[in-house]
């Protein structure tokens, strides 16, 4: 039976067996697989089991569904495919001897508390040694001012719930930004939910937080 290994930052946190004909994935609690992160849409994607094959379909999510780093709308999965949704990596295996899982899976990737969403687990000081060419968000004002935060994940959530939140997503052609909630500005202009390409020295503003996109 097909199964999926769900991991965050390289650590497997849950194994899920796909026993249902239709398995939903999203941020809302009623999904079969719950990814609790603002970068994930309420109803983000659906996995359909037909004749032993599993097909994934993006449900017009804001930040997209990626299979092997390629954005997809609908695709039949192959053994060892890697799905990326909101900073969460899901390793698909076509066969599994594990018993079926009958309860929803809670995958906590972010936070919806009133505290600021961390931009990085371990921010580096501006000017510190970072791999050459790695894109960063340079904090010009706000919490962590003076730090460079490497964009090492597929999706990075920035801001503070209740004030303003945006996501920066890595795509094959480069990095894009989109607003999730609140007043988000890109180079002084309102940023909407549609993804916009980021260029060197572009400035994101979320309340008192000011971030500059750069490559170091």
């Amino acid at each position: 039976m097909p199964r999926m290994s769900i991991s965050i930052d390289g650590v497997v946190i849950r194994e899920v067996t796909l026993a249902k004909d239709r398995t939903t994935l999203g941020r809302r609690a009623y999904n079969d697989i719950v990814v609790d992160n603002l970068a994930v849409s309420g109803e983000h994607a659906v996995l359909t089991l037909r004749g032993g094959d599993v097909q994934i379909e993006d449900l017009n999510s804001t930040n997209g569904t990626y299979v092997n780093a390629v954005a997809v709308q609908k695709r039949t999965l192959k053994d060892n495919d890697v799905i990326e949704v909101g900073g969460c990596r899901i390793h698909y295996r076509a066969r599994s001897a594990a018993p079926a899982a009958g309860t929803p899976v809670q995958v906590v990737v972010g936070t919806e508390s009133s505290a600021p969403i961390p931009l990085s687990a371990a921010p580096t000081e501006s000017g510190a040694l970072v791999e050459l060419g790695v894109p960063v968000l340079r904090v010009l004002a706000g919490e962590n001012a003076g730090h460079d935060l490497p964009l090492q994940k597929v999706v990075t959530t920035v801001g503070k719930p209740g004030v303003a939140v945006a996501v920066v997503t890595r795509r094959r052609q480069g990095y894009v930004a989109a607003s999730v909630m609140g007043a988000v500005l890109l180079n002084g202009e309102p940023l909407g939910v549609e993804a916009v390409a980021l260029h060197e020295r572009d400035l994101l503003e979320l309340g008192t937080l000011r971030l500059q996109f750069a490559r170091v």
Side-chain angles (χ1 to χ4, degrees), residues 3 34 44 50-51 54-55 86 88 114 120 128 141 165 176 197-198 212 214:
R3 66 180 174 86
V34 180
H44 197 103
R50 293 178 181 171
V54 174
Q55 184 179 74
C88 181
S114 59
S120 172
V165 177
V176 297
L198 287 175
Q212 187 176 62

Side-chain angles (χ1 to χ4, degrees), residues 78-169:
K78 298 179 181 179
D79 191 37
N80 287 323
D81 275 351
V82 176
I83 305 163
E84 294 175 293
V85 175
C88 181
R89 292 171 62 88
I90 304 172
H91 186 193
Y92 172 74
R93 297 305 303 269
R95 294 290 179 267
S96 172
T103 57
V105 177
Q106 183 77 15
V107 183
V108 179
V109 183
T111 176
E112 302 217 8
S113 68
S114 59
I117 298 174
L119 306 182
S120 172
T124 57
E125 295 286 348
S126 182
L129 291 178
V130 180
E131 182 182 350
L132 184 64
V134 172
V136 300
L137 290 176
R138 182 159 291 163
V139 186
L140 303 181
E143 188 173 351
N144 294 325
H147 291 76
D148 285 349
L149 308 174
L151 295 171
Q152 297 172 330
K153 299 180 180 180
V154 174
V155 178
T156 300
T157 308
V158 296
K160 183 176 181 180
V163 179
V165 177
V167 290
V168 176
T169 305

Side-chain angles (χ1 to χ4, degrees), residues 30-76:
Y30 52 72
N31 288 283
D32 298 300
I33 300 175
V34 180
V35 182
D36 185 14
N37 183 273
L38 290 172
V40 177
S41 297
E43 298 176 0
H44 197 103
V46 61
L47 296 140
T48 306
L49 177 61
R50 293 178 181 171
D53 289 332
V54 174
Q55 184 179 74
I56 189 167
E57 180 180 359
D58 184 82
L59 299 177
N60 297 316
S61 65
T62 300
N63 295 299
T65 299
Y66 294 78
V67 177
N68 302 328
V70 177
V72 300
Q73 182 60 42
K74 183 183 291 186
R75 175 166 171 168
T76 298

Side-chain angles (χ1 to χ4, degrees), residues 193-204:
V193 297
E194 296 295 324
V196 176
L198 287 175
H199 303 285
E200 185 76 15
R201 302 184 70 80
D202 274 355
L203 184 66
L204 282 168

